[in-house]
């Protein structure tokens, strides 16, 4: 009798473990990873202050915040390396509002979401930060 209870308990435990792992995998696939890419140093500074993890950052002579120093570099905002952006599989690419036309075609063709951020005035900066919902 005791062996039968141990066997039944073991089978139930295994079924629960398999179900739990299956559920976790399904949840992970259902929710795309948040992998934003910043293309300007102003964006990097804002995201750093807000504690946002990034997938890639712009190439710059300016020092990067330590949390982003080892991330892949995607070129500067005027001369972006689209191949490098594609390599990091971003969920969204944040671009300077003045350069949206330069990015739109290639990102749309690669089915990558693009969000334009305009930091030209303080009011636009605060509006964009609020729209990010961060």
């Amino acid at each position: 009798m005791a062996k039968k209870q141990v066997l039944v308990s073991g089978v139930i435990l295994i079924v629960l473990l398999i179900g739990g792992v299956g559920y976790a995998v399904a949840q992970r696939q259902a929710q795309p990873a948040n992998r934003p890419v910043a293309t300007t140093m102003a964006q990097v500074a804002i995201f750093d202050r807000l504690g946002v993890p990034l997938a890639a950052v712009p190439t710059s002579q300016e020092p990067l915040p330590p949390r982003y120093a080892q991330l892949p570099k995607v070129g500067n905002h005027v001369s972006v390396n689209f191949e490098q952006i594609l390599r990091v599989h971003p969920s969204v690419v944040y671009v300077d509002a003045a350069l949206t036309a330069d990015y739109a075609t290639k990102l749309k063709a690669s089915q990558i979401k693009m969000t334009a951020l305009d930091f030209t005035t303080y009011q636009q900066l605060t509006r964009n930060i609020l729209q990010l919902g961060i």
Side-chain angles (χ1 to χ4, degrees):
M1 182 82 166
K3 285 185 178 183
K4 193 174 189 178
Q5 288 177 338
V6 170
L7 181 63
V8 170
S9 297
V11 169
I12 290 172
L13 180 62
I14 289 172
V15 169
L16 289 174
L17 285 172
I18 291 172
V21 168
Y23 178 77
V25 168
Q27 287 294 87
R28 180 162 239 181
Q29 289 174 347
Q31 297 175 352
N34 186 19
R35 298 188 48 81
V37 171
T39 58
T40 69
M41 288 303 292
Q43 293 168 359
V44 169
I46 299 286
F47 290 137
D48 182 46
R49 293 291 297 226
L50 296 172
V52 175
L54 295 174
V57 293
T59 305
S60 176
Q61 298 298 323
E62 294 179 49
L64 287 162
R67 74 169 62 206
Y68 303 134
Q70 301 302 317
L71 293 178
K73 310 297 186 282
V74 296
N76 64 41
H77 68 286
V78 177
S79 177
V80 69
N81 183 334
F82 285 101
E83 291 78 22
Q84 188 63 29
I85 289 176
L86 294 175
R87 280 189 201 118
V88 299
H89 305 288
S91 56
V92 62
V93 175
Y94 290 102
V95 302
D96 186 320
L99 300 172
T100 56
D102 298 342
Y103 287 81
T105 305
K106 288 190 178 185
L107 292 176
K108 189 174 183 178
S110 299
Q111 298 178 338
I112 297 173
K113 181 181 172 187
M114 177 186 76
T115 300
L117 299 176
D118 187 355
F119 295 161
T120 54
T121 66
Y122 178 75
Q123 289 78 16
Q124 290 167 321
L125 170 71
T126 56
R127 187 177 318 123
N128 278 246
I129 291 172
L130 290 173
Q131 287 174 344
L132 288 170
I134 299 172

